[in-house]
Coordinates of all heavy atoms in Angstrom, one line a residue:
M1 N 0.9 -1.2 0.0 CA 0.1 0.1 0.0 C 0.9 1.2 0.0 O 1.9 1.3 0.7 CB -0.9 0.0 1.2 CG -1.8 1.2 1.5 SD -2.8 1.3 2.9 CE -3.9 -0.1 2.7
N2 N 0.5 2.2 -0.7 CA 1.2 3.5 -0.8 C 1.3 4.1 0.6 O 0.4 4.2 1.4 CB 0.4 4.4 -1.7 CG 1.0 5.9 -1.8 OD1 1.0 6.5 -0.9 ND2 1.3 6.1 -3.0
E3 N 2.5 4.6 0.9 CA 2.8 5.2 2.2 C 1.9 6.4 2.5 O 1.5 6.6 3.7 CB 4.3 5.5 2.4 CG 5.2 4.3 2.6 CD 4.8 3.5 3.8 OE1 4.6 4.0 4.9 OE2 4.8 2.2 3.6
R4 N 1.7 7.2 1.6 CA 0.8 8.3 1.9 C -0.7 8.0 2.2 O -1.2 8.5 3.1 CB 0.7 9.3 0.5 CG 0.1 10.6 0.8 CD 0.9 11.6 1.6 NE 0.3 12.8 1.8 CZ 0.0 13.4 2.9 NH1 0.4 12.8 4.0 NH2 -0.6 14.6 3.0
I5 N -1.1 6.9 1.6 CA -2.5 6.3 1.9 C -2.5 5.8 3.2 O -3.5 6.0 4.0 CB -2.9 5.3 0.8 CG1 -3.2 6.1 -0.5 CG2 -4.2 4.6 1.3 CD1 -3.5 5.2 -1.7
K6 N -1.4 5.2 3.7 CA -1.3 4.6 5.0 C -1.3 5.7 6.1 O -2.0 5.6 7.1 CB 0.0 3.8 5.2 CG 0.0 2.3 4.6 CD 1.3 1.7 4.9 CE 1.4 0.4 4.2 NZ 2.6 -0.3 4.6
Q7 N -0.7 6.8 5.7 CA -0.7 8.0 6.7 C -2.1 8.5 6.8 O -2.6 8.9 7.9 CB 0.2 9.1 6.0 CG 1.6 9.1 6.4 CD 2.3 10.2 5.9 OE1 2.1 10.7 4.7 NE2 3.2 10.8 6.6
F8 N -2.8 8.6 5.6 CA -4.2 9.2 5.8 C -5.1 8.3 6.6 O -5.9 8.7 7.3 CB -4.9 9.2 4.3 CG -4.4 10.4 3.5 CD1 -4.1 10.1 2.1 CD2 -4.1 11.6 4.0 CE1 -3.7 11.2 1.3 CE2 -3.6 12.6 3.2 CZ -3.3 12.5 1.9
A9 N -4.9 7.0 6.4 CA -5.7 6.0 7.1 C -5.5 6.1 8.6 O -6.4 6.1 9.4 CB -5.4 4.5 6.7
L10 N -4.1 6.2 9.0 CA -3.9 6.3 10.5 C -4.3 7.6 11.0 O -4.9 7.7 12.1 CB -2.3 6.2 10.6 CG -1.7 4.8 10.4 CD1 -0.3 4.9 10.5 CD2 -2.2 3.9 11.5
Q11 N -4.2 8.8 10.3 CA -4.6 10.1 10.7 C -6.1 10.2 10.9 O -6.7 10.8 11.8 CB -4.1 11.1 9.8 CG -2.7 11.4 9.8 CD -2.3 12.3 8.7 OE1 -3.0 12.7 7.8 NE2 -0.9 12.6 8.7
A12 N -6.9 9.3 10.0 CA -8.3 9.4 10.1 C -8.8 8.4 11.2 O -10.0 8.3 11.4 CB -8.9 8.9 8.8
G13 N -7.9 7.6 11.8 CA -8.3 6.8 13.0 C -8.5 5.3 12.6 O -8.9 4.5 13.2
G14 N -8.0 4.9 11.3 CA -8.0 3.5 10.9 C -7.0 2.7 11.7 O -6.0 3.2 12.2
E15 N -7.3 1.4 11.9 CA -6.4 0.5 12.5 C -6.1 -0.6 11.6 O -6.9 -1.2 11.0 CB -7.2 -0.1 13.8 CG -7.6 1.0 14.8 CD -8.4 0.4 15.9 OE1 -8.3 -0.8 16.1 OE2 -9.1 1.1 16.6
F16 N -4.8 -0.9 11.5 CA -4.2 -2.0 10.7 C -4.3 -3.3 11.4 O -3.9 -3.3 12.6 CB -2.8 -1.6 10.1 CG -2.8 -0.5 9.1 CD1 -2.8 0.9 9.5 CD2 -3.0 -0.8 7.7 CE1 -2.8 1.8 8.5 CE2 -2.9 0.1 6.9 CZ -2.8 1.4 7.2
Y17 N -4.6 -4.2 10.7 CA -4.4 -5.7 11.2 C -3.8 -6.5 10.2 O -4.0 -6.5 9.0 CB -6.0 -6.2 11.4 CG -6.7 -5.5 12.5 CD1 -7.5 -4.4 12.2 CD2 -6.6 -5.9 13.7 CE1 -8.2 -3.7 13.1 CE2 -7.3 -5.3 14.7 CZ -8.1 -4.1 14.4 OH -8.7 -3.5 15.4
E18 N -3.0 -7.4 10.7 CA -2.3 -8.4 9.9 C -3.3 -9.4 9.5 O -4.1 -9.9 10.3 CB -1.0 -9.1 10.6 CG 0.0 -8.2 10.8 CD 1.3 -8.9 11.2 OE1 1.5 -10.1 11.0 OE2 2.0 -8.3 12.0
G19 N -3.2 -9.8 8.2 CA -4.1 -10.9 7.7 C -3.7 -12.3 8.3 O -2.6 -12.5 8.7
F20 N -4.7 -13.2 8.1 CA -4.4 -14.6 8.5 C -3.5 -15.3 7.4 O -3.5 -14.6 6.3 CB -5.6 -15.4 8.8 CG -6.3 -14.8 10.0 CD1 -7.5 -14.1 9.8 CD2 -5.8 -15.1 11.3 CE1 -8.1 -13.6 10.9 CE2 -6.5 -14.6 12.4 CZ -7.7 -13.8 12.1
A21 N -3.0 -16.4 7.5 CA -2.1 -17.1 6.6 C -2.8 -16.9 5.2 O -3.9 -17.5 5.0 CB -2.0 -18.5 7.0
G22 N -2.1 -16.3 4.2 CA -2.6 -16.2 2.8 C -3.7 -15.1 2.6 O -4.0 -14.9 1.5
S23 N -4.0 -14.4 3.7 CA -5.0 -13.4 3.4 C -4.4 -12.0 3.5 O -3.3 -11.9 4.2 CB -6.2 -13.5 4.3 OG -5.7 -13.3 5.7
P24 N -4.8 -11.0 2.8 CA -4.2 -9.7 2.8 C -4.4 -9.0 4.3 O -5.3 -9.5 5.0 CB -5.0 -8.9 1.9 CG -6.3 -9.6 1.7 CD -6.0 -11.0 2.0
N25 N -3.6 -8.0 4.5 CA -3.8 -7.2 5.7 C -5.0 -6.4 5.5 O -5.5 -6.2 4.5 CB -2.5 -6.3 5.9 CG -1.3 -7.0 6.2 OD1 -1.3 -8.1 6.7 ND2 -0.2 -6.4 5.9
A26 N -5.5 -5.9 6.7 CA -6.8 -5.2 6.5 C -6.7 -3.9 7.4 O -5.8 -3.8 8.3 CB -7.9 -6.1 7.2
V27 N -7.6 -2.9 7.1 CA -7.7 -1.8 7.8 C -9.1 -1.6 8.3 O -10.1 -1.8 7.5 CB -7.4 -0.4 7.0 CG1 -7.4 0.9 7.7 CG2 -5.9 -0.6 6.4
R28 N -9.4 -1.2 9.6 CA -10.7 -1.1 10.2 C -10.9 0.4 10.5 O -10.1 1.0 11.0 CB -10.8 -2.0 11.4 CG -12.3 -1.9 11.9 CD -12.5 -2.8 13.1 NE -11.8 -2.2 14.2 CZ -11.7 -2.7 15.4 NH1 -12.3 -3.8 15.7 NH2 -11.1 -2.1 16.4
F29 N -12.1 0.8 10.1 CA -12.5 2.2 10.2 C -14.0 2.2 10.9 O -14.8 1.4 10.6 CB -12.7 3.0 9.0 CG -11.4 3.4 8.3 CD1 -11.0 2.6 7.2 CD2 -10.7 4.5 8.7 CE1 -9.8 3.0 6.6 CE2 -9.5 4.8 8.1 CZ -9.1 4.1 7.0
M30 N -14.1 3.2 11.8 CA -15.6 3.5 12.2 C -16.0 4.3 11.0 O -15.3 4.9 10.3 CB -15.5 4.3 13.4 CG -14.9 3.7 14.6 SD -15.9 2.2 15.2 CE -17.2 3.0 16.0
E31 N -17.5 4.4 10.9 CA -18.0 5.1 9.8 C -17.6 6.5 9.6 O -17.2 7.0 8.5 CB -19.6 5.0 9.8 CG -20.2 5.5 8.6 CD -21.7 5.2 8.5 OE1 -22.2 4.5 9.4 OE2 -22.4 5.8 7.8
T32 N -17.5 7.3 10.7 CA -17.1 8.6 10.7 C -15.7 8.7 10.2 O -15.2 9.7 9.5 CB -17.3 9.4 12.0 OG1 -16.7 8.6 13.0 CG2 -18.9 9.5 12.3
D33 N -14.8 7.8 10.7 CA -13.4 7.9 10.4 C -13.3 7.5 8.9 O -12.2 8.1 8.2 CB -12.6 6.8 11.2 CG -12.6 7.2 12.7 OD1 -12.8 8.4 13.0 OD2 -12.4 6.4 13.6
L34 N -14.0 6.6 8.3 CA -13.9 6.3 6.9 C -14.1 7.5 6.1 O -13.5 7.8 5.1 CB -14.8 5.2 6.6 CG -14.8 4.7 5.1 CD1 -13.4 4.2 4.8 CD2 -16.0 3.6 4.9
E35 N -15.1 8.4 6.6 CA -15.4 9.6 5.8 C -14.1 10.6 5.9 O -13.9 11.1 4.9 CB -16.7 10.3 6.4 CG -17.1 11.4 5.6 CD -18.5 12.0 6.1 OE1 -19.2 11.3 6.7 OE2 -18.7 13.2 6.0
K36 N -13.5 10.6 7.0 CA -12.4 11.5 7.2 C -11.2 11.0 6.2 O -10.5 11.9 5.6 CB -11.8 11.5 8.6 CG -12.7 12.1 9.6 CD -12.1 12.1 10.9 CE -13.0 12.3 12.1 NZ -12.5 12.1 13.5
F37 N -11.1 9.7 6.1 CA -10.1 9.1 5.3 C -10.4 9.5 3.8 O -9.5 9.9 3.2 CB -10.1 7.6 5.4 CG -9.2 6.8 4.5 CD1 -7.8 6.9 4.5 CD2 -9.8 5.9 3.5 CE1 -7.0 6.3 3.6 CE2 -9.0 5.3 2.8 CZ -7.6 5.4 2.7
A38 N -11.6 9.3 3.4 CA -11.9 9.7 1.9 C -11.8 11.1 1.7 O -11.3 11.5 0.6 CB -13.4 9.2 1.7
E39 N -12.1 11.9 2.6 CA -12.0 13.4 2.5 C -10.5 13.8 2.3 O -10.3 14.7 1.5 CB -12.7 14.1 3.6 CG -14.3 14.1 3.4 CD -14.9 15.0 4.6 OE1 -14.2 15.6 5.5 OE2 -16.1 15.0 4.6
A40 N -9.7 13.2 3.1 CA -8.2 13.5 3.1 C -7.7 13.1 1.6 O -6.9 13.9 1.1 CB -7.5 12.6 4.1
I41 N -8.1 12.0 1.1 CA -7.7 11.7 -0.3 C -8.2 12.6 -1.3 O -7.4 13.1 -2.2 CB -8.0 10.3 -0.6 CG1 -7.3 9.3 0.2 CG2 -7.8 9.9 -2.1 CD1 -7.7 7.9 0.1
V42 N -9.5 13.0 -1.2 CA -10.1 14.1 -2.2 C -9.3 15.3 -1.9 O -9.0 16.0 -3.0 CB -11.5 14.2 -1.9 CG1 -12.1 15.4 -2.6 CG2 -12.3 13.0 -2.2
R43 N -9.1 15.8 -0.7 CA -8.4 17.2 -0.5 C -6.9 17.0 -1.2 O -6.5 18.0 -1.8 CB -8.2 17.4 1.0 CG -9.4 18.0 1.5 CD -9.2 18.6 2.9 NE -10.4 19.1 3.4 CZ -11.3 18.4 4.2 NH1 -10.9 17.1 4.5 NH2 -12.4 18.9 4.6
E44 N -6.3 15.9 -1.0 CA -4.9 15.7 -1.6 C -5.0 15.8 -3.1 O -4.1 16.6 -3.7 CB -4.4 14.4 -1.1 CG -3.0 14.2 -1.7 CD -1.8 14.7 -0.8 OE1 -2.1 15.5 0.2 OE2 -0.7 14.5 -1.0
C45 N -6.0 15.2 -3.8 CA -6.1 15.2 -5.1 C -6.4 16.7 -5.7 O -5.7 17.2 -6.6 CB -7.2 14.3 -5.7 SG -6.8 12.6 -5.4
A46 N -7.2 17.4 -4.9 CA -7.6 18.7 -5.4 C -6.4 19.6 -5.1 O -6.2 20.4 -6.0 CB -8.8 19.2 -4.5
S47 N -5.6 19.4 -4.1 CA -4.5 20.2 -3.8 C -3.4 20.0 -4.9 O -2.8 21.1 -5.3 CB -4.0 19.9 -2.4 OG -2.8 20.6 -2.1
M48 N -3.3 18.9 -5.4 CA -2.3 18.6 -6.3 C -2.6 19.2 -7.7 O -1.8 19.8 -8.4 CB -2.1 17.1 -6.5 CG -1.4 16.4 -5.4 SD -1.1 14.6 -5.7 CE 0.1 14.8 -7.1
A49 N -3.9 19.3 -8.0 CA -4.4 19.9 -9.2 C -4.1 21.4 -9.2 O -3.6 22.1 -10.1 CB -5.9 19.7 -9.4
V50 N -4.4 22.1 -7.9 CA -4.2 23.5 -7.7 C -2.7 23.7 -7.9 O -2.3 24.7 -8.5 CB -4.7 24.0 -6.4 CG1 -4.3 25.4 -6.1 CG2 -6.3 23.9 -6.5
D51 N -1.8 22.9 -7.3 CA -0.4 23.0 -7.3 C 0.1 23.0 -8.6 O 1.0 23.8 -9.1 CB 0.3 22.0 -6.5 CG 0.1 22.2 -4.9 OD1 -0.3 23.3 -4.5 OD2 0.5 21.2 -4.2
E52 N -0.4 22.1 -9.5 CA 0.0 22.0 -10.8 C -0.4 23.2 -11.7 O 0.4 23.7 -12.5 CB -0.6 20.7 -11.5 CG 0.1 19.5 -11.1 CD 1.6 19.5 -11.3 OE1 2.1 19.8 -12.4 OE2 2.5 19.2 -10.3
A53 N -1.5 23.8 -11.3 CA -2.0 25.0 -12.0 C -1.1 26.2 -11.6 O -0.8 26.9 -12.5 CB -3.4 25.3 -11.5
D54 N -0.7 26.2 -10.4 CA 0.2 27.3 -10.0 C 1.6 27.2 -10.8 O 2.2 28.3 -11.2 CB 0.5 27.2 -8.6 CG -0.7 27.7 -7.7 OD1 -1.6 28.3 -8.2 OD2 -0.7 27.5 -6.5
K55 N 2.1 26.1 -10.9 CA 3.4 25.8 -11.7 C 3.2 26.2 -13.1 O 4.2 26.7 -13.7 CB 3.9 24.4 -11.5 CG 4.2 23.9 -10.2 CD 4.6 22.4 -10.3 CE 4.8 21.8 -8.9 NZ 5.1 20.4 -8.9
C56 N 2.1 25.8 -13.7 CA 1.9 26.1 -15.2 C 1.2 27.5 -15.5 O 1.1 27.7 -16.6 CB 1.0 25.0 -15.8 SG 1.8 23.3 -15.6
G57 N 0.7 28.1 -14.5 CA 0.0 29.3 -14.6 C -1.4 29.1 -15.4 O -1.8 30.0 -16.0
E58 N -1.9 28.0 -15.1 CA -3.2 27.6 -15.8 C -4.4 27.7 -14.8 O -4.2 27.2 -13.6 CB -3.2 26.3 -16.4 CG -2.2 26.1 -17.5 CD -2.2 24.6 -18.0 OE1 -3.1 23.8 -17.8 OE2 -1.1 24.3 -18.6
Q59 N -5.5 28.3 -15.2 CA -6.6 28.3 -14.3 C -7.4 27.1 -14.4 O -8.2 26.7 -13.4 CB -7.5 29.5 -14.6 CG -7.0 30.8 -14.1 CD -8.1 31.8 -14.3 OE1 -8.6 32.1 -15.3 NE2 -8.3 32.7 -13.2
S60 N -7.4 26.4 -15.4 CA -8.2 25.1 -15.7 C -7.9 24.1 -14.7 O -8.8 23.5 -14.1 CB -8.0 24.5 -17.1 OG -6.6 24.2 -17.3
S61 N -6.7 23.9 -14.2 CA -6.3 22.9 -13.2 C -6.8 23.3 -11.8 O -7.2 22.5 -11.0 CB -4.8 22.7 -13.2 OG -4.3 22.1 -14.3
E62 N -6.8 24.7 -11.6 CA -7.3 25.2 -10.4 C -8.8 24.9 -10.3 O -9.3 24.5 -9.2 CB -7.1 26.7 -10.2 CG -7.4 27.3 -8.9 CD -6.8 28.7 -8.7 OE1 -5.9 29.1 -9.4 OE2 -7.4 29.5 -8.0
M63 N -9.5 25.1 -11.4 CA -10.9 24.9 -11.4 C -11.2 23.4 -11.2 O -12.2 23.0 -10.6 CB -11.5 25.4 -12.7 CG -11.5 26.9 -12.8 SD -12.4 27.7 -11.5 CE -14.1 27.2 -11.6
A64 N -10.3 22.6 -11.7 CA -10.4 21.1 -11.6 C -10.4 20.8 -10.1 O -11.1 19.9 -9.7 CB -9.3 20.3 -12.4
G65 N -9.4 21.4 -9.4 CA -9.3 21.1 -8.0 C -10.6 21.5 -7.2 O -11.1 20.6 -6.4
Y66 N -11.2 22.6 -7.5 CA -12.5 23.0 -6.9 C -13.5 22.1 -7.3 O -14.4 21.6 -6.5 CB -12.8 24.4 -7.5 CG -14.1 24.9 -7.0 CD1 -14.3 25.3 -5.7 CD2 -15.2 24.8 -7.9 CE1 -15.5 25.8 -5.2 CE2 -16.4 25.4 -7.5 CZ -16.5 25.8 -6.1 OH -17.9 26.2 -5.7
A67 N -13.6 21.6 -8.6 CA -14.6 20.7 -9.1 C -14.6 19.3 -8.4 O -15.6 18.7 -8.1 CB -14.5 20.6 -10.6
I68 N -13.3 18.9 -8.1 CA -13.1 17.5 -7.5 C -13.7 17.7 -6.0 O -14.4 16.7 -5.6 CB -11.6 17.2 -7.4 CG1 -11.1 16.8 -8.8 CG2 -11.4 16.1 -6.4 CD1 -9.5 16.7 -8.8
K69 N -13.4 18.7 -5.3 CA -14.0 18.8 -4.0 C -15.4 19.0 -4.0 O -16.2 18.4 -3.1 CB -13.4 20.1 -3.3 CG -11.9 19.8 -2.9 CD -11.3 20.8 -2.0 CE -10.9 22.0 -2.8 NZ -10.1 23.0 -2.0
Q70 N -16.0 19.7 -4.9 CA -17.4 19.9 -5.1 C -18.1 18.6 -5.4 O -19.2 18.2 -4.7 CB -17.8 21.0 -6.1 CG -17.5 22.4 -5.7 CD -18.4 22.8 -4.6 OE1 -18.2 22.5 -3.4 NE2 -19.3 23.7 -5.0
H71 N -17.6 17.8 -6.3 CA -18.1 16.5 -6.6 C -18.3 15.5 -5.5 O -19.3 14.9 -5.3 CB -17.3 15.8 -7.7 CG -17.8 14.5 -8.2 ND1 -18.9 14.4 -8.9 CD2 -17.4 13.3 -7.8 CE1 -19.1 13.1 -9.1 NE2 -18.3 12.5 -8.5
F72 N -17.2 15.6 -4.6 CA -17.3 14.6 -3.4 C -17.9 15.3 -2.2 O -17.9 14.7 -1.2 CB -15.9 14.1 -3.2 CG -15.5 13.1 -4.2 CD1 -14.7 13.5 -5.2 CD2 -16.0 11.8 -4.2 CE1 -14.2 12.6 -6.2 CE2 -15.6 10.9 -5.1 CZ -14.7 11.3 -6.1
G73 N -18.4 16.5 -2.2 CA -18.9 17.3 -1.1 C -18.0 17.6 0.0 O -18.3 17.6 1.2
V74 N -16.6 17.8 -0.4 CA -15.6 18.1 0.6 C -15.5 19.6 0.8 O -15.3 20.4 -0.2 CB -14.3 17.5 0.2 CG1 -13.2 17.9 1.1 CG2 -14.4 16.1 0.1
E75 N -15.6 20.1 1.9 CA -15.6 21.5 2.4 C -14.2 22.0 2.2 O -13.2 21.3 2.4 CB -16.2 21.8 3.7 CG -17.7 21.4 3.9 CD -18.6 22.2 3.0 OE1 -18.3 23.5 2.9 OE2 -19.5 21.6 2.5
E76 N -14.0 23.3 2.0 CA -12.7 23.9 1.9 C -12.0 23.8 3.3 O -12.6 23.7 4.4 CB -12.8 25.5 1.6 CG -13.2 25.7 0.2 CD -12.2 25.2 -0.8 OE1 -11.0 25.3 -0.6 OE2 -12.7 24.6 -1.9

């Protein structure tokens, strides 16, 4: 699993469990924590779009960041 995603999971209150023989590891979330996890990923994606817009001087990527957050209902 990507280290950044692991960070988001832990920050949102997720708990990691080792899988049993032959099964994958698992992450457990309470419902509210799962929402925090998803919002953190959406914010990161939107932030990356805005950062890229700043580098290129383009407004379209900035608008994409806003649209991503709007689509998933993530507040500023």
Side-chain angles (χ1 to χ4, degrees):
M1 179 185 294
N2 178 294
E3 286 302 314
R4 189 72 177 128
I5 292 174
K6 283 182 182 179
Q7 274 184 317
F8 288 142
L10 290 172
Q11 289 171 353
E15 298 177 19
F16 284 88
Y17 293 90
E18 287 188 34
F20 296 105
S23 66
N25 293 338
V27 181
R28 183 177 73 180
F29 287 98
M30 299 295 287
E31 188 172 345
T32 56
D33 294 336
L34 182 58
E35 188 172 333
K36 289 178 195 173
F37 174 66
E39 286 182 357
I41 292 173
V42 170
R43 279 193 184 92
E44 181 86 354
C45 291
S47 176
M48 289 185 68
V50 171
D51 289 348
E52 287 303 310
D54 289 344
K55 288 179 191 174
C56 300
E58 297 177 19
Q59 282 188 314
S60 60
S61 294
E62 188 171 332
M63 292 303 295
Y66 176 77
I68 290 167
K69 289 189 276 187
Q70 289 293 77
H71 178 75
F72 288 100
V74 174
E75 301 292 324
E76 293 292 325

